[in-house]
Amino acid sequence: MSMSDSGATRLRRQLESGSFEARLYVKQLSQQSDGDRDLQEHRQRIQALAEETAQNLKRNVYQNYRQFIETAREISYLESEMYQLSHLLTEQKSSLESIPLTLLPSAAAAGATAASGGEEGGGSVGGRDHLRGQAGFFPTPGGASRDSSGPGEEGKQRTLTTLLEKVEGCRHLLETPGQYLVYNGDLVEYEADHMAQLQRVHGFLMNDCLLVATWLPQRRGMYRYNALYPLDGLAVVNVKDNPPMKDMFKLLMFPESRIFQAENAKIKREWLEVLEETKRALSEKRRREQEEAAAPRGPPQVTSKTGNPFEEDEEEAAAVPEVEEEKVDLSMEWIQELPEDLDVCIAQRDFEGAVDLLDKLNHYLENKPSPPPVKELRAKVDERIRQLTEVLVFELSPDRSLRGGPRATRRAVSQLIRLGQCTKACELFLRNRAAAVHTAIRQLRIEGATLLYIHKLCHVFFTSLLETAREFETDFAGTDSGCYSAFVVWARSAMGMFVDAFSKQVFDSKESLSTAAECVKVAKEHGQQLGDIGLDLTFIIHALLVKDIQGALHSYKEIIIEATKHRNSEEMWRRMNLMTPEALGKLKEEMKSCGVSNFEQYTGDDCWVNLSYTVVAFTKQTMSFLEEALKLYFPELHMVLLESLVEIILVAVQHVDYSLRCEQEPEKKAFIRQNASFLYETVLPVVEKRFEEGVGKPAKQLQDLRNASRLIRVNPESTTSVV
């Protein structure tokens, strides 16, 4: 044995020991290693050991799985034989119990006397059974019982008549000839998802169907029809006890399922056994009927009325091809082993192989008749198809790992489409991707800088949406166009998820209007990437953000109005002195960026500006608001933005107009008139021009505001501001 083999063996024993602790092992390994290289080598050895263990486990599973299938088949055979043995023992017990009554006249006479005098002596067992059969089949509340009526048609009809009298609304459903009651009892129904108690019900098992009726509290002993399930489409599943939920079983009826709870474990076992026995008896009865219907009929016993023997030969010759058409060769080895091969494929997750086998069978049976052997094979295959569908559905469930992106779902989706489950595949694929997008958004770390977080959010969401759209187009190409409608609906729902996270970070946290504008701009730019695949969701972004943007514009408008009013209240109507040429140059650049190109004519000697500080501050704040609002603009916000601008401008021009009328000093009045001229002739045209450039059409309200010589007529005798 080499040193490497001995080291691997020693490492394996160390990892398999019962006292192994991973944290202590890593700590010791870190202390003993000389550096990163030793740790890398040790990691490679552990990885190789893990791969070797996985291969051995896989090999053992493959070697033993065939034996497992054979064992399961033997168990099934043994279970069938046990049922037969139990039935034989029950018949033997009944025969032995009847022997004393047959051989001993005295015992028989005593039994007859006890039956006739049941009121005096309490009655024998046989007498009680007889009375029970006469009284009907309904048990006391909380109990369950088999039908104890005689096996004759009269007894069966009597029990069915009693059922029709006790259950409202089911008479038209139970008129099948030969139908009779097998078993009945009280049950409690539970909700399948959350295991919440729903209602009390009573189950009536007939020889070909199961009737579920609800209790009528106001009418004791009476029931109302709830549902009727044919036994050939019903599957019974035992639900494992999980206290306090116990004594339950599930009924599967495509596409729904219901969970019921029995009073105790004994009654639950009786329900399961009787359901299986009744289903088996019904299946056997129908199989015999099919065989009798498919069996060739012998020649008629009556002689020909015409006396022509050739007519009989022609009738027999015409009947032979009909019998031969019913024969389908199912003796081929691959068909005989098909159910077991499908089980192996499902267990080994070879979904493609399973669907290939199903396609091969469907191609072979295409345009062929369906005699009983073919129907029996179809029944077995349909059960495997159901199992395969359940496995594929689980592969696409959000409970599975969401790593790997949309391509990780392609395998399961393609096989569901091949099975004819295109709609289900589309629904599960989109549900899986919705969970993946939700998880990706939730795992994003909320950074201190809002704009940085929005960049990450847009990248994660729109990249996932783009990948999902491309994968959807690949998987569902050539399928029903209804799937594409489902994708558009899903995309809108996903966009709502994105906007919720976006608004919570941008608008709920009261960010500035400039920050909100930048964030919306980033979202629009990422949304335009979807145009590469022919998907335009920009209008959805607008529709979902319109309320938040309206709120932001209204809030920022109120801030500007309050600030302007505060400056107006402290207005002294004095020229600005910026003190330094640098400050003056900076102001000129700011006004130029605002669109005021003729600001030079309002500057004086040195660092003086022939305008009021209030008017200059109002101009900068208004133009900044307009620029940021135009970044957020889309048609639904046109009137909101226009009305906000008009309200802001009115605050300034009303104050100037009022000051001009109230001021008596000629020098100050001339200075106020100069500020008013700046507002009307410079600022308002710039606002109007910039609004038209950003929106694409002129605003009549702004034109009227600029052309008015006086915005508000103030009473000359009044000295109170109307602002």
Side-chain angles (χ1 to χ4, degrees), residues 190 195 237-250 259-269 272:
Y190 281 76
M195 299 306 291
V237 179
N238 181 22
V239 178
K240 184 178 180 181
D241 289 350
N242 185 16
M245 302 302 175
K246 60 180 182 177
D247 303 329
M248 292 183 173
F249 59 92
K250 181 185 290 188
I259 293 181
F260 299 100
Q261 183 183 44
E263 183 180 5
N264 51 50
K266 178 183 177 183
I267 296 178
K268 170 189 173 181
R269 185 168 60 253
L272 295 176

Side-chain angles (χ1 to χ4, degrees), residues 39-255:
L39 292 176
Q40 291 289 344
E41 292 177 354
H42 199 83
R43 181 178 179 275
Q44 292 176 0
R45 288 198 296 270
I46 294 178
Q47 186 67 27
L49 184 60
E51 293 176 356
E52 180 184 354
T53 304
Q55 290 295 331
N56 292 335
L57 181 60
K58 186 176 180 180
R59 191 180 301 112
N60 291 335
V61 170
Y62 288 166
Q63 290 175 354
N64 296 332
Y65 191 75
R66 178 69 69 174
Q67 298 178 4
F68 172 77
I69 294 175
E70 295 296 333
T71 304
R73 187 184 296 114
E74 293 297 331
I75 291 174
S76 178
Y77 294 156
L78 181 60
E79 182 181 7
S80 176
E81 293 176 357
M82 290 297 293
Y83 275 119
Q84 296 177 5
L85 182 59
S86 175
H87 183 67
L88 291 175
L89 290 175
T90 303
E91 291 182 349
Q92 292 293 331
K93 180 181 178 182
S94 301
S95 300
L96 291 175
E97 289 177 350
S98 63
I99 287 175
L101 298 177
T102 305
L103 298 180
L104 299 177
S106 60
T113 304
S116 62
E119 295 181 358
E120 299 178 1
S124 65
V125 175
R128 285 194 298 270
D129 288 343
H130 177 72
L131 291 174
R132 181 184 173 192
Q134 294 293 332
F137 55 87
F138 286 92
T140 57
S145 67
R146 293 178 185 258
D147 177 24
S148 59
S149 300
E153 294 298 330
E154 182 181 354
K156 294 177 180 179
Q157 187 62 36
R158 184 170 64 251
T159 58
L160 192 58
T161 303
T162 309
L163 171 63
L164 296 175
E165 293 174 354
K166 294 289 185 178
V167 182
E168 296 180 354
C170 72
R171 182 175 296 274
H172 65 288
L173 300 173
L174 300 174
E175 297 178 351
T176 305
Q179 193 175 57
Y180 59 90
L181 184 69
V182 177
Y183 189 77
N184 75 98
D186 293 339
L187 298 168
V188 179
E189 183 176 5
Y190 281 76
E191 201 266 332
D193 293 331
H194 306 290
M195 299 306 291
Q197 183 173 330
L198 293 179
Q199 58 185 344
R200 292 179 61 192
V201 300
H202 199 91
F204 302 96
L205 177 62
M206 266 69 73
N207 59 321
D208 61 347
C209 62
L210 173 66
L211 186 145
V212 179
T214 57
W215 284 77
L216 292 176
Q218 67 276 18
R219 300 175 61 185
R220 184 175 180 84
M222 295 296 293
Y223 309 91
R224 178 181 288 116
Y225 167 78
N226 179 262
L228 185 71
Y229 303 110
L231 289 184
D232 51 4
L234 188 70
V236 187
V237 179
N238 181 22
V239 178
K240 184 178 180 181
D241 289 350
N242 185 16
M245 302 302 175
K246 60 180 182 177
D247 303 329
M248 292 183 173
F249 59 92
K250 181 185 290 188
L251 299 181
L252 303 177
M253 308 76 62
F254 183 81

Side-chain angles (χ1 to χ4, degrees), residues 218-502:
Q218 67 276 18
R219 300 175 61 185
R220 184 175 180 84
M222 295 296 293
Y223 309 91
R224 178 181 288 116
Y225 167 78
N226 179 262
L228 185 71
Y229 303 110
L231 289 184
D232 51 4
L234 188 70
V236 187
V237 179
N238 181 22
V239 178
K240 184 178 180 181
D241 289 350
N242 185 16
M245 302 302 175
K246 60 180 182 177
D247 303 329
M248 292 183 173
F249 59 92
K250 181 185 290 188
L251 299 181
L252 303 177
M253 308 76 62
F254 183 81
E256 61 176 317
S257 63
R258 300 177 71 172
I259 293 181
F260 299 100
Q261 183 183 44
E263 183 180 5
N264 51 50
K266 178 183 177 183
I267 296 178
K268 170 189 173 181
R269 185 168 60 253
E270 289 182 358
W271 270 107
L272 295 176
E273 291 176 355
V274 174
L275 279 167
E276 289 298 333
E277 291 175 4
T278 310
K279 286 184 61 179
R280 191 180 298 109
L282 178 63
S283 177
E284 182 66 21
K285 175 184 176 183
R286 292 185 175 175
R287 186 183 65 81
R288 288 196 303 267
E289 292 176 352
Q290 291 173 355
E291 290 178 353
E292 292 174 358
R297 297 180 179 178
Q301 299 297 325
V302 296
T303 59
S304 175
K305 294 181 180 180
T306 60
N308 187 356
F310 295 102
E311 291 184 0
E312 296 182 2
D313 295 339
E314 290 176 359
E315 292 177 358
E316 292 178 0
V320 170
E322 295 181 1
V323 177
E324 291 179 351
E325 286 180 359
E326 294 293 329
K327 294 183 179 179
V328 178
D329 185 13
L330 300 179
S331 61
M332 288 173 284
E333 183 178 358
W334 70 272
I335 293 182
Q336 295 293 327
E337 296 181 356
L338 183 64
E340 288 75 14
D341 290 342
L342 288 175
D343 288 337
V344 173
C345 290
I346 295 173
Q348 296 179 351
R349 300 170 58 81
D350 183 12
F351 307 136
E352 294 83 357
V355 179
D356 289 342
L357 289 173
L358 292 172
D359 288 344
K360 184 178 180 181
L361 177 66
N362 291 332
H363 180 72
Y364 177 76
L365 296 178
E366 187 177 5
N367 299 326
K368 286 186 172 60
S370 299
V374 174
K375 292 182 179 179
E376 184 178 355
L377 176 63
R378 285 285 191 187
K380 294 180 180 178
V381 171
D382 288 344
E383 176 64 21
R384 270 69 178 186
I385 292 176
R386 184 188 64 78
Q387 296 175 6
L388 176 60
T389 303
E390 290 179 354
V391 174
L392 293 173
V393 168
F394 178 71
E395 287 293 312
L396 292 173
S397 65
D399 297 334
R400 297 282 290 170
S401 175
L402 298 175
R403 297 179 180 178
R407 293 185 180 180
T409 63
R410 182 180 299 178
R411 186 181 179 212
V413 168
S414 61
Q415 302 314 312
L416 277 176
I417 293 175
R418 291 179 63 190
L419 289 173
Q421 303 278 351
C422 182
T423 303
K424 180 176 289 187
C426 176
E427 177 186 355
L428 294 171
F429 172 79
L430 295 178
R431 189 183 302 170
N432 179 280
R433 295 313 306 154
V437 171
H438 178 71
T439 302
I441 291 177
R442 193 174 60 183
Q443 290 178 349
L444 268 180
R445 183 178 178 182
I446 299 179
E447 303 287 349
T450 301
L451 189 58
L452 178 60
Y453 172 80
I454 294 301
H455 272 287
K456 292 183 178 180
L457 175 65
C458 291
H459 174 75
V460 168
F461 174 76
F462 285 102
T463 301
S464 299
L465 197 62
L466 190 61
E467 291 177 352
T468 301
R470 288 172 176 167
E471 184 64 26
F472 185 90
E473 191 173 8
T474 300
D475 291 346
F476 294 91
T479 59
D480 185 10
S481 58
C483 293
Y484 289 90
S485 301
F487 176 78
V488 173
V489 173
W490 173 86
R492 192 196 184 289
S493 175
M495 188 63 71
M497 189 190 314
F498 162 77
V499 170
D500 287 343
F502 182 93

Side-chain angles (χ1 to χ4, degrees), residues 465-470 472-473 484-485 487-488 491 526-540:
L465 197 62
L466 190 61
E467 291 177 352
T468 301
R470 288 172 176 167
F472 185 90
E473 191 173 8
Y484 289 90
S485 301
F487 176 78
V488 173
H526 278 82
Q528 292 172 358
Q529 297 176 2
L530 300 176
D532 298 340
I533 59 172
L535 186 64
D536 185 8
L537 297 179
T538 308
F539 70 99
I540 295 180

